[in-house]
Amino acid sequence: MDTSYPREDPRAPTPRKADGATHTALALGAPRPPPRDHLIWSVFSTLYLNPCCLGFLALAYSIKARDQKVAGDLEAARRLGSKAKCYNILATMWALVPPLLLLALVVTGALHLSRLAKDSAAFFSTKFDDSDYD
């Protein structure tokens, strides 16, 4: 435990030397946001929506993007994160579109069958006279 007094504040600015030189800092545009790796989306794509192993590919690229971000190569992290995002989109669409199409086919088939049943019920409830068979 440090009991020395006075304590130095580590956040305090360091004193500048009076050498007469001025320093200029240039801001070269707005800072870019850190690259996204889409790791959570990739995990869900791998576990729940994994047709043709697209979710697993997305997870692999997400892990690579995170590794590159930690290593400091932000451009490679952006590139790999973009690939992970594309594979996640493909896995999600591949998993959601076929069930939706199947649902649409079932609904239209049910509507068609109900209309057909209504028309056939009218046909079978028709009363024929004996003169119709002569």
Side-chain angles (χ1 to χ4, degrees), residues 25-105:
L26 293 177
L28 300 174
R32 294 178 71 179
R36 298 185 64 180
D37 54 12
H38 307 285
L39 187 63
I40 302 297
W41 188 10
S42 298
V43 168
F44 282 116
S45 291
T46 301
L47 294 177
Y48 298 114
L49 311 170
N50 198 10
C52 299
C53 296
L54 291 174
F56 182 71
L57 286 173
L59 181 64
Y61 278 110
S62 294
I63 292 170
K64 285 182 181 182
R66 180 156 294 186
D67 288 344
Q68 292 298 319
K69 185 166 63 170
V70 169
D73 190 2
L74 298 181
E75 201 55 43
R78 278 189 186 87
R79 188 181 74 250
L80 293 168
S82 175
K83 284 185 181 182
K85 181 180 177 182
C86 289
Y87 281 122
N88 278 322
I89 289 171
L90 285 173
T92 303
M93 295 308 294
W94 190 282
L96 292 179
V97 169
L100 290 176
L101 286 175
L102 183 64
L103 179 68
L105 285 172

